[in-house]
Amino acid sequence: MLMNGTIVARIETVRWKMIQSGIRFGLSSPVTIQLSKELDALINIHQRNVINQTTQNKIVQ
């Protein structure tokens, strides 16, 4: 599992690459679409991490 700081940095990197790809190759480019899928997966992992941390914090309290 990636740490939240690491995953947020990765999300920002992939987001930037996706925007640049969209500008250069178009939104329907296979490269742009692949980066979009990677970004979605990273965001989903990050959201799960946040939910898990929130749940653990409530259990501890």
Side-chain angles (χ1 to χ4, degrees):
M1 172 172 33
L2 293 171
M3 298 301 291
N4 276 342
T6 304
I7 198 160
V8 170
R10 183 81 179 121
I11 286 169
E12 291 305 317
T13 299
V14 173
R15 184 188 325 253
W16 185 84
K17 287 180 181 181
M18 184 187 73
I19 291 168
Q20 295 305 309
S21 177
I23 291 168
R24 185 170 182 189
F25 304 116
L27 298 178
S28 61
S29 158
V31 174
T32 306
I33 292 169
Q34 182 58 42
L35 287 165
S36 176
K37 289 177 181 179
E38 183 178 347
L39 181 60
D40 286 346
L42 289 168
I43 290 170
N44 287 337
I45 290 168
H46 177 63
Q47 288 175 334
R48 270 187 252 124
N49 288 347
V50 169
I51 289 168
N52 288 340
Q53 286 174 351
T54 302
T55 302
Q56 287 175 358
N57 289 342
K58 286 181 179 177
I59 291 171
V60 171
Q61 292 175 352

